[in-house]
Amino acid sequence: MNGKVILVVEDDRDIRSLLADFLKREGFTVEVAEDGAAADRALARMTPDLVVLDLMLPGEDGLSICRRLRARGATPILMLTAKNDDIDRIVGLELGADDYLGKPFNPRELLARIRAILRRAEAATARAGERRRRSFGRFVIDLDARSVERADGTSVALTSAEFDLLACFVERPRRVLTRDQLLDWTRGRSADPFDRTIDVTVSRLRKKLETADPSAPALVTTVRNGGYLFTGDVKDA
């Protein structure tokens, strides 16, 4: 993964320097910013492969920056949050963050999270040959191009985490998938018993894909004490 560019947005000078030095030693190119304005200046001159974004920033907070980043593209976002700030973590995931890590954290765990996110992004572009396109209901998903379209040709904007979860469902239709399985497949780490990442991402997918009432889902159904079931009739497209 040498050569990958990471933008670290962190207002604490000591943490910012520590992260920059650590990630550079691991072979990454690192840009740093202390707030939203500095992040905007950095983004105007470069395109990072991943953004490490602190939640608590002076001026514009991390949640607002996350929302803006997600509106402009699918660059992976790893959010740093206060360890017990469950609500903000959930909101961050709803706004499109791909993963989160509570402070204080072990730099090696941060590195593992970053590498897992980048591996998933690289896997989509490393494949060669025929594209894997599948249809379900009124949608077509291109698993290699990482795109989803409606029957009328309009695109469905999905975050990296949303696409990864949908791909898991499409490749395993009509099977009950547990939250632990989905976490392992989409995030590459063992599940925390209290981790609500999958539930939040499923909720976002329903809002974007359910053609009737997202509150009464028919495409991704909840199996009590089991997990989730993708009911779509998946075919080669």
Side-chain angles (χ1 to χ4, degrees):
M1 297 206 177
N2 288 355
K4 293 293 185 182
V5 179
I6 297 178
L7 172 61
V8 176
V9 187
E10 166 64 64
D11 66 311
D12 187 295
R13 180 180 301 175
D14 292 336
I15 296 176
R16 191 168 65 243
S17 297
L18 182 151
L19 288 178
D21 292 343
F22 175 73
L23 292 172
K24 287 176 182 177
R25 289 197 300 271
E26 295 297 328
F28 295 100
T29 299
V30 182
E31 294 279 343
V32 297
E34 68 274 12
D35 56 22
D40 286 341
R41 291 193 294 272
L43 291 167
R45 67 175 186 273
M46 47 81 78
T47 301
D49 295 290
L50 182 141
V51 176
V52 177
L53 176 62
D54 186 29
L55 175 67
M56 300 299 295
L57 292 169
E60 185 181 15
D61 66 20
L63 292 177
S64 176
I65 295 172
C66 179
R67 183 187 295 108
R68 290 200 295 108
L69 286 172
R70 188 50 67 230
R72 62 187 285 176
T75 300
I77 300 169
L78 173 60
M79 183 166 282
L80 302 179
T81 71
K83 195 166 185 64
N84 296 319
D85 227 345
D86 291 336
I87 297 300
D88 283 333
R89 283 203 296 264
I90 292 168
V91 172
L93 291 169
E94 289 176 338
L95 291 176
D98 294 272
D99 201 354
Y100 62 81
L101 187 60
K103 291 182 178 180
F105 56 84
N106 184 321
R108 304 304 302 184
E109 182 178 3
L110 175 73
L111 178 63
R113 300 284 186 95
I114 288 173
R115 284 177 169 165
I117 294 171
L118 292 176
R119 276 197 301 271
R120 294 196 296 272
E122 283 186 339
T125 57
R127 300 183 187 99
E130 185 179 355
R131 282 185 171 177
R132 298 169 300 150
R133 290 169 57 87
R134 307 284 187 270
S135 66
F136 59 93
R138 301 178 181 177
F139 300 94
V140 174
I141 180 173
D142 189 321
L143 295 167
D144 295 308
R146 294 178 66 83
S147 64
V148 179
E149 292 183 348
R150 300 179 182 86
D152 61 6
T154 58
S155 297
V156 180
L158 297 181
T159 67
S160 176
E162 291 165 359
F163 185 91
D164 290 339
L165 183 59
L166 178 59
C168 281
F169 285 137
V170 168
E171 293 180 316
R172 303 167 183 84
R174 303 184 185 281
R175 284 175 50 187
V176 176
L177 305 177
T178 68
R179 290 172 177 81
D180 286 355
Q181 288 176 318
L182 293 168
L183 277 168
D184 287 342
W185 289 329
T186 60
R187 298 178 63 193
R189 68 182 181 86
S190 298
D192 183 313
F194 302 104
D195 195 327
R196 291 190 56 194
T197 303
I198 294 300
D199 300 314
V200 171
T201 310
V202 166
S203 176
R204 296 201 318 247
L205 270 179
R206 284 170 171 166
K207 291 177 182 178
K208 295 181 179 182
L209 299 180
E210 293 288 350
T211 55
D213 182 2
S215 65
L219 188 61
V220 181
T221 61
T222 303
V223 179
R224 187 174 182 180
N225 298 323
Y228 292 102
L229 175 69
F230 186 76
T231 64
D233 185 13
V234 178
K235 302 176 182 177
D236 290 337

